[in-house]
Amino acid sequence: MYKTILVPVSFDEERDLDTAIAVAQTLAAPDAQITFLHVIELMPAYVAEVIPPEMYPDRRKSAETRTREIASAVEGAHAAVVDGPAGRTITTWARDNDADLIVVASHRPEMADIFLGSTAAWVVRHAPCSVHVVR
């Protein structure tokens, strides 16, 4: 049983968040802390130039609301929203918060993932703790 569980949240429809939540709850110790973490990827400068400045706070507020809604459905869970590259930010958060398990939902890998990598692959390779990948 795990005491500090991190569940990265992506709002992609192809990710199976419900199964990731179920796995986290199943593997959680009775007094476990489950944190749902959404990472807002930084925009490249060439994209940021054409995006209206007011969109960023709206995007963050929406992510915070959606992540809190997810966490509120799980007793004792917490929500967090941070900025950065997804894989690196997830593993850093896990290390800094002494997570002993990351439950990450992954999409079915495609050819591009072999060459470019995916967030789940990064987390598996660099996590400071156990990782359970849900497909």
Side-chain angles (χ1 to χ4, degrees), residues 38-49:
H38 178 73
V39 179
I40 297 176
E41 296 258 7
L42 303 174
M43 286 185 265
Y46 65 87
V47 174
E49 291 176 357

Side-chain angles (χ1 to χ4, degrees), residues 8-128:
V9 175
S10 172
F11 302 123
D12 299 349
E13 290 182 18
E14 57 192 38
R15 306 259 195 270
D16 189 359
L17 182 59
D18 291 336
T19 301
I21 292 169
V23 167
Q25 289 177 305
T26 299
L27 297 175
D31 58 343
Q33 176 183 326
I34 299 174
T35 301
F36 294 95
L37 177 73
H38 178 73
V39 179
I40 297 176
E41 296 258 7
L42 303 174
M43 286 185 265
Y46 65 87
V47 174
E49 291 176 357
V50 296
I51 303 282
E54 63 274 4
M55 281 191 69
Y56 183 77
D58 292 343
R59 183 176 169 214
R60 174 172 280 287
K61 186 174 182 175
S62 174
E64 289 171 347
T65 299
R66 291 174 74 182
T67 307
R68 274 195 307 271
E69 287 171 357
I70 292 165
S72 71
V74 177
E75 186 176 336
H78 306 287
V81 175
V82 295
D83 297 308
R88 185 179 311 270
T89 303
I90 291 165
T91 56
T92 298
W93 195 98
R95 185 191 67 235
D96 292 350
N97 291 276
D98 297 321
D100 53 0
L101 175 66
I102 301 171
V103 179
V104 62
S106 179
H107 66 285
R108 298 258 179 226
E110 298 173 354
M111 190 59 126
D113 294 321
I114 294 169
F115 299 110
L116 302 175
S118 69
T119 299
W122 173 276
V123 171
V124 167
R125 287 191 307 268
H126 299 283

